[in-house]
Amino acid sequence: MEQSLLEALEGIFRPRSVALVGVSEREYNLGYRWVKSLLDAGFPIVYPVNPKGGELLGLKVYPTVGDIPGEVDLAILLIPREAVPDVARDCAQKRTKGIVLYTSGFGETGPEGKELERQIVKIARAGGTRVIGPSCLGPYNPSVKLITQYPFPRKAGAVGVISHSGFLFNYLVSCVAATGIGPSKGISCGSDCDLSFVDFLEYLGQDEQTRIIVAYLEGIKDGKRLLSVGRDVSRNKPIVIMKGGDTEVGREASASHTGTLAVPSAIWKTLCRQTGIISVDSFEQMMDTLIALYYLPRPKGRRVAVITAPGGIAVTATDACIKLGLELPRLSEQTRALLANLIGTLGTNLKNPVDLGPMGAMAAENYVKEAMRIVARDENIDMLLVSFIGPRTTDDVKDAKSAEALLAAIKEGGKPTVFSGASLQGWDRGELKFLRQSNVPVYPEARRAAFALSRLAEYSEFARSAQT
Amino acid sequence: MEQSLLEALEGIFRPRSVALVGVSEREYNLGYRWVKSLLDAGFPIVYPVNPKGGELLGLKVYPTVGDIPGEVDLAILLIPREAVPDVARDCAQKRTKGIVLYTSGFGETGPEGKELERQIVKIARAGGTRVIGPSCLGPYNPSVKLITQYPFPRKAGAVGVISHSGFLFNYLVSCVAATGIGPSKGISCGSDCDLSFVDFLEYLGQDEQTRIIVAYLEGIKDGKRLLSVGRDVSRNKPIVIMKGGDTEVGREASASHTGTLAVPSAIWKTLCRQTGIISVDSFEQMMDTLIALYYLPRPKGRRVAVITAPGGIAVTATDACIKLGLELPRLSEQTRALLANLIGTLGTNLKNPVDLGPMGAMAAENYVKEAMRIVARDENIDMLLVSFIGPRTTDDVKDAKSAEALLAAIKEGGKPTVFSGASLQGWDRGELKFLRQSNVPVYPEARRAAFALSRLAEYSEFARSAQT
């Protein structure tokens, strides 16, 4: 990426010092809480700013940014919009790398707000200062202890997070943390008045700590650049995006939210196809996909083998796969012979889906693991979806042993393998609990497992074609 | 429904005695477990049958059904298919109301199995005995302690359950139990060789205990009858169906599973429109819909007001509603004036979606409940979807009080109201936990809340049109 942009973004994500402008001593004051969060996380240099001066949490409060003796790499502004231009001027003079505008009431309110926004950006950029927002929470980087929001993890993970909505930024970070993979860096970027969604995408694209990017996007300022940056980044790491404003009414709501122009869904679909961006309709789908992308090897194609014990699940899992564009090829003669040898042909189905029948359901740890081994060797198969009858014991030792046998079968097979539970409630019990703990993607329903596999296959196809 | 059919079904669902044919003393024997489950549940008269005779769990084992001294209302056959005709003859002679064929390997295996099936039905019906299955678990009725499966609830609820797949029958019953509404009666009907899915639908349709019917359907034997029965039942109680075999490959799997002919999805959609049957794509959607149908009053139309605190959720919730065919009309001038008076116009959106802005997010218990009151009075609005910022306290007393205030607002509004959480993990905490405990439908994501409302509105429209 362009050198000056990279430098600005490095300053914003790895600031040595942060000024919080608009703090008060009251505990429910936003500034108070942000300062406290930074201090608690161990961020080294924090400057609270308030015209009244005084002290806050043992720190000197400076009347203005100009009064701060040292350098200020990042300034977070929690002040009314009218007060912003003066502070921006101070920041520009100090060669601050970035200003975060938490305040809303700019471009999304009409021409007057838009004009104010333009002035602020002009003032800031005169000193080489870039603006993030308005209506945002700014950057998050646990590696340098840049944590302004209380519940955010302090340990860095591997998922970059970008969001136009500040609230959904919080939400996404908490979802990513809950998967266990954890966020690497994040940015709540608001209304893109200067630095925009695409800048942050490009930055996280080249960030070594970030292996996958998840984002909530509302509007696109520069479609052409998203096309080229998206494509470049996707080549090396998956981007999973939930887009708001997918409908006319949603777009109207979006305009009064971030003030950006939302993109009609037909254009969005084309853009995703061209860039390899993985589009999802919900955060549930996003997390389901994230887990598959993170933990699984890339499949060679979209040919799935469905292995189940009970017949009804075989049918519904198959429906789900086919509807999502996956293929269920017939298994080879040899595979079917081996399966017949394992479990017989009475009450079973050995084509694909493989229904192991009542025997398979009764003793999953024996038959399922062997069936997985046999099927994974079939050349027609790229991925395995195993739908499980769920816990039959309440014995942790037995379950752990059974999970180990299944893990060995996955490892031997070497092909992306996901499991789905057999009960919305019980999917996280028994062997499945232990499989999850061993980082095997386990989903409550076959439909969700199929969705994750379909996105994994789609991304792998893109990544392959982009390499050649 | 036809008198002789009703009598047979009453005998099957309320048998005074049950014979279990094919039991052994081994604890892992299926018959053993079914007998034990019936005894543990307190079912009064159980006859184990095995040619060897002897004793089982303190009961005399009879060599044949013919040897049983008393009447046998229901016979459950857990025996190889070749042994079925003789037992069917004994049952017919005893004027048994119903035979449950657990065994598979009949019609789904080819012409020979089909012929055997026909013979069995002919033998049974000669004595007025009806056949359920093959490949099924038969009836479940907690009210008369007819419980053959161990984990099934002993207390009757309000949801009738029908399933072509035995495994998915177990699954559905456990899902319905977990919602807290609970199953009223259920039937795992297998491959419909004699009594069929539609017969059971008609029966549960006239059953007073059953307020809603959920079903997993694979194939339809008699489309015309499903059309008329479905329509009649739907008039009075909702039917929610997940259909397997929705794709070509799924249909093939279905043929080798139940042997019934699966229905292409275009025909299915038409049938649903004409009957008012609510079609869902997953069991998650089924349970989400069930909760809304059970706990909410019927909306007058499909016009939703979305109330949220954070803007991003407003946009995504709106998208979800519109995609599902719901409408988000503008709120009236008066409503908007009242909302402006409540929360101001800065950083808020008072059209629809209603975004209460940062203030609303900070103090949900005050602003959200008032906004709900104001919006519910708007004539343009039929339903409310409230998306909540989630727990802000860890104080159960505060949360319970806040939930009470929200409950009062729902009651005063009198319109169907659902909540969605603001985190896939935290959606069941804070006020939302208490709302759920008070039977308010709460969903992890706005998309799922919107789905449930869309199905509720669709069904209500059908029920209204069917009454006139």
Side-chain angles (χ1 to χ4, degrees):
Chain A
M1 77 192 288
E2 205 196 309
Q3 194 56 30
S4 65
L5 180 60
L6 179 63
E7 274 167 26
L9 287 163
E10 280 288 320
I12 288 161
F13 277 98
R14 302 178 177 281
R16 287 156 303 175
S17 58
V18 174
L20 269 293
V21 187
V23 299
S24 92
E25 281 170 21
R26 290 168 304 188
E27 284 193 22
Y28 56 86
N29 170 265
L30 209 60
Y32 177 96
R33 286 189 280 143
W34 291 38
V35 169
K36 190 158 187 321
S37 172
L38 283 167
L39 293 180
D40 287 352
F43 189 82
I45 307 177
V46 181
Y47 300 116
V49 177
N50 186 305
K52 291 179 197 158
E55 245 193 45
L56 183 80
L57 292 162
L59 300 173
K60 179 177 163 58
V61 176
Y62 295 90
T64 69
V65 170
D67 295 320
I68 297 170
E71 288 191 358
V72 173
D73 283 345
L74 184 69
I76 300 174
L77 276 52
L78 307 159
I79 52 177
R81 64 177 198 171
E82 291 72 23
V84 172
D86 279 348
V87 180
R89 203 162 287 114
D90 283 355
C91 289
Q93 270 172 4
K94 269 202 162 311
R95 303 259 154 199
T96 293
K97 306 290 185 197
I99 291 174
V100 173
L101 293 182
Y102 170 79
T103 323
S104 56
F106 289 90
E108 80 278 13
T109 60
E112 196 196 336
K114 193 88 206 156
E115 183 48 38
L116 183 59
E117 219 177 82
R118 260 191 229 110
Q119 275 177 28
I120 292 163
V121 173
K122 202 176 157 193
I123 293 167
R125 296 201 61 168
T129 303
R130 304 299 303 256
V131 184
I132 302 141
S135 305
C136 76
L137 307 174
Y140 157 65
N141 183 3
S143 299
V144 300
K145 299 168 179 175
L146 180 66
I147 305 176
T148 58
Q149 309 298 308
Y150 251 106
F152 281 14
R154 294 192 181 177
K155 199 171 151 266
V159 182
V161 180
I162 313 174
S163 174
H164 274 132
S165 153
F167 176 75
L168 291 178
F169 179 66
N170 269 331
Y171 182 46
L172 271 178
V173 169
S174 79
C175 290
V176 168
T179 62
I181 307 174
S184 53
K185 290 180 178 62
I187 181 83
S188 154
C189 63
S191 308
D192 289 358
C193 77
D194 176 24
L195 283 178
S196 76
F197 187 96
V198 188
D199 296 320
F200 295 113
L201 184 64
E202 193 174 5
Y203 179 72
L204 293 177
Q206 58 82 56
D207 177 51
E208 284 186 11
Q209 219 173 16
T210 300
R211 281 184 47 197
I212 299 176
I213 296 165
V214 301
Y216 172 72
L217 175 139
E218 264 190 24
I220 298 171
K221 264 176 83 184
D222 185 346
K224 269 193 191 162
R225 201 160 149 248
L226 180 55
L227 199 66
S228 74
V229 169
R231 206 179 149 75
D232 276 356
V233 174
S234 278
R235 238 186 270 263
N236 300 307
K237 56 184 89 171
I239 306 166
V240 189
I241 295 186
M242 157 94 182
K243 194 174 81 63
D246 235 16
T247 64
E248 195 58 49
V249 191
R251 272 193 288 284
E252 263 180 53
S254 166
S256 88
H257 176 224
T258 57
T260 55
L261 201 65
V263 181
S265 60
I267 296 178
W268 175 242
K269 269 182 197 153
T270 308
L271 193 140
C272 287
R273 214 170 27 245
Q274 291 172 342
T275 55
I277 288 172
I278 302 157
S279 176
V280 292
D281 281 331
S282 74
F283 297 107
E284 187 180 274
Q285 287 182 349
M286 181 180 270
M287 294 306 124
D288 287 351
T289 304
L290 171 63
I291 291 163
L293 287 166
Y294 188 75
Y295 288 119
L296 297 179
R298 291 196 193 151
K300 293 219 175 83
R302 50 177 65 220
R303 301 167 305 172
V304 185
V306 171
I307 301 177
T308 74
I313 292 270
V315 175
T316 53
T318 299
D319 282 340
C321 288
I322 299 294
K323 282 183 190 173
L324 287 158
L326 297 170
E327 292 162 16
L328 267 84
R330 286 270 166 117
L331 298 174
S332 73
E333 287 291 333
Q334 198 196 344
T335 304
R336 286 156 67 183
L338 288 166
L339 287 171
N341 196 37
L342 172 71
I343 193 118
T345 53
L346 193 69
T348 61
N349 177 0
L350 307 179
K351 292 168 197 162
N352 187 13
V354 177
D355 175 2
L356 297 174
M359 282 291 282
M362 301 289 278
E365 53 277 27
N366 300 320
Y367 294 107
V368 174
K369 73 167 193 228
E370 284 308 321
M372 283 167 60
R373 278 207 169 86
I374 294 168
V375 169
R377 283 198 292 267
D378 193 309
E379 279 186 358
N380 302 316
I381 295 304
D382 303 311
M383 303 180 280
L384 277 70
L385 193 168
V386 185
S387 199
F388 219 61
I389 196 163
R392 285 165 312 281
T393 78
T394 48
D395 183 337
D396 263 8
V397 178
K398 270 193 197 168
D399 287 341
K401 215 179 138 194
S402 160
E404 250 173 60
L406 294 165
L407 275 170
I410 295 170
K411 206 177 163 193
E412 197 192 297
K415 291 179 177 174
T417 302
V418 298
F419 284 75
S420 81
S423 157
L424 290 175
Q425 286 74 42
W427 68 280
D428 197 12
R429 297 202 307 256
E431 295 99 330
L432 294 178
K433 181 177 77 182
F434 291 97
L435 286 174
R436 279 191 88 197
Q437 285 170 1
S438 305
N439 298 333
V440 174
V442 178
Y443 301 93
E445 280 204 291
R447 181 186 59 118
R448 283 172 63 178
F451 182 87
L453 285 185
S454 74
R455 289 307 174 269
L456 177 69
E458 204 175 283
Y459 174 71
S460 303
E461 270 168 27
F462 169 83
R464 260 198 315 279
S465 74
Q467 296 307 333
T468 54
Chain B
M1 80 192 285
E2 203 198 309
Q3 194 55 30
S4 65
L5 181 59
L6 179 64
E7 275 167 26
L9 286 162
E10 280 287 321
I12 288 161
F13 278 98
R14 302 178 177 283
R16 288 156 303 175
S17 57
V18 175
L20 270 293
V21 186
V23 300
S24 92
E25 281 169 20
R26 291 167 304 187
E27 285 193 21
Y28 57 86
N29 170 266
L30 210 61
Y32 178 97
R33 286 188 278 143
W34 290 36
V35 169
K36 193 161 186 320
S37 173
L38 282 166
L39 293 180
D40 287 352
F43 189 81
I45 307 176
V46 182
Y47 298 117
V49 176
N50 187 306
K52 293 179 197 158
E55 246 191 45
L56 183 79
L57 292 163
L59 300 173
K60 180 177 162 57
V61 177
Y62 295 90
T64 69
V65 170
D67 295 321
I68 296 170
E71 288 191 358
V72 173
D73 283 345
L74 184 69
I76 300 174
L77 276 52
L78 309 159
I79 53 176
R81 63 176 198 174
E82 291 70 24
V84 172
D86 279 348
V87 181
R89 201 162 288 117
D90 283 356
C91 290
Q93 270 173 5
K94 267 199 162 318
R95 304 259 154 201
T96 293
K97 305 290 186 199
I99 293 175
V100 173
L101 292 183
Y102 170 78
T103 323
S104 56
F106 288 90
E108 79 278 15
T109 60
E112 196 196 334
K114 192 90 208 157
E115 183 47 38
L116 184 58
E117 218 179 81
R118 259 188 230 112
Q119 277 177 27
I120 293 163
V121 173
K122 202 176 157 192
I123 292 167
R125 295 201 62 168
T129 302
R130 304 299 302 257
V131 184
I132 303 141
S135 304
C136 74
L137 307 174
Y140 157 65
N141 184 4
S143 300
V144 300
K145 300 172 179 171
L146 180 65
I147 306 177
T148 58
Q149 309 298 307
Y150 251 107
F152 281 15
R154 293 192 181 177
K155 202 172 149 262
V159 182
V161 180
I162 313 173
S163 173
H164 273 131
S165 154
F167 177 76
L168 291 178
F169 179 66
N170 268 331
Y171 183 44
L172 271 177
V173 169
S174 80
C175 289
V176 168
T179 63
I181 306 173
S184 54
K185 288 179 180 62
I187 180 83
S188 154
C189 63
S191 308
D192 290 358
C193 78
D194 176 25
L195 284 177
S196 75
F197 187 95
V198 187
D199 296 320
F200 295 113
L201 184 65
E202 192 173 6
Y203 179 72
L204 292 177
Q206 58 82 54
D207 176 50
E208 284 187 10
Q209 220 174 13
T210 300
R211 281 183 47 196
I212 300 176
I213 297 165
V214 300
Y216 172 71
L217 174 139
E218 264 191 22
I220 299 171
K221 265 176 80 183
D222 185 345
K224 269 194 191 158
R225 201 160 148 245
L226 179 56
L227 199 68
S228 75
V229 169
R231 205 178 149 78
D232 277 356
V233 174
S234 279
R235 238 184 270 263
N236 301 308
K237 57 184 90 172
I239 306 166
V240 189
I241 295 186
M242 157 94 179
K243 193 175 81 63
D246 235 17
T247 63
E248 196 55 49
V249 191
R251 272 193 288 285
E252 262 180 56
S254 168
S256 89
H257 175 224
T258 57
T260 55
L261 202 65
V263 182
S265 60
I267 295 178
W268 176 242
K269 270 183 198 152
T270 309
L271 194 142
C272 288
R273 215 172 25 247
Q274 290 171 345
T275 54
I277 288 172
I278 302 159
S279 176
V280 292
D281 282 330
S282 74
F283 297 107
E284 186 180 274
Q285 287 182 350
M286 182 180 269
M287 294 305 125
D288 286 351
T289 304
L290 172 63
I291 291 163
L293 287 165
Y294 188 76
Y295 288 119
L296 298 178
R298 290 195 193 153
K300 294 219 173 82
R302 48 177 66 218
R303 300 168 306 171
V304 185
V306 171
I307 302 178
T308 74
I313 292 272
V315 175
T316 53
T318 299
D319 282 340
C321 287
I322 299 293
K323 282 183 189 174
L324 288 159
L326 297 170
E327 294 161 15
L328 267 85
R330 287 270 165 118
L331 298 174
S332 73
E333 288 289 334
Q334 200 197 344
T335 304
R336 287 156 67 181
L338 287 167
L339 286 172
N341 196 36
L342 172 70
I343 192 117
T345 52
L346 193 70
T348 61
N349 178 0
L350 307 180
K351 293 166 197 163
N352 187 16
V354 177
D355 174 2
L356 297 174
M359 283 290 282
M362 302 289 277
E365 53 277 29
N366 300 319
Y367 294 107
V368 173
K369 74 165 193 230
E370 283 309 320
M372 283 167 59
R373 278 209 167 84
I374 293 167
V375 169
R377 283 198 291 268
D378 193 310
E379 279 186 0
N380 301 316
I381 295 304
D382 304 311
M383 303 179 278
L384 277 70
L385 192 168
V386 185
S387 199
F388 218 63
I389 196 163
R392 284 166 312 282
T393 79
T394 49
D395 182 339
D396 262 9
V397 177
K398 269 193 197 170
D399 287 341
K401 216 180 138 194
S402 162
E404 250 174 60
L406 294 166
L407 274 170
I410 295 170
K411 205 176 165 192
E412 196 192 298
K415 291 180 179 174
T417 302
V418 298
F419 283 76
S420 81
S423 156
L424 290 174
Q425 286 75 41
W427 67 279
D428 197 11
R429 296 202 306 256
E431 296 99 328
L432 294 178
K433 180 178 79 184
F434 290 97
L435 286 174
R436 280 191 87 197
Q437 285 171 2
S438 304
N439 298 333
V440 174
V442 178
Y443 301 94
E445 280 204 290
R447 181 186 59 119
R448 284 172 62 178
F451 182 87
L453 284 185
S454 75
R455 290 306 175 270
L456 178 70
E458 205 175 282
Y459 174 71
S460 303
E461 270 169 27
F462 170 83
R464 260 197 315 280
S465 75
Q467 296 306 335
T468 53

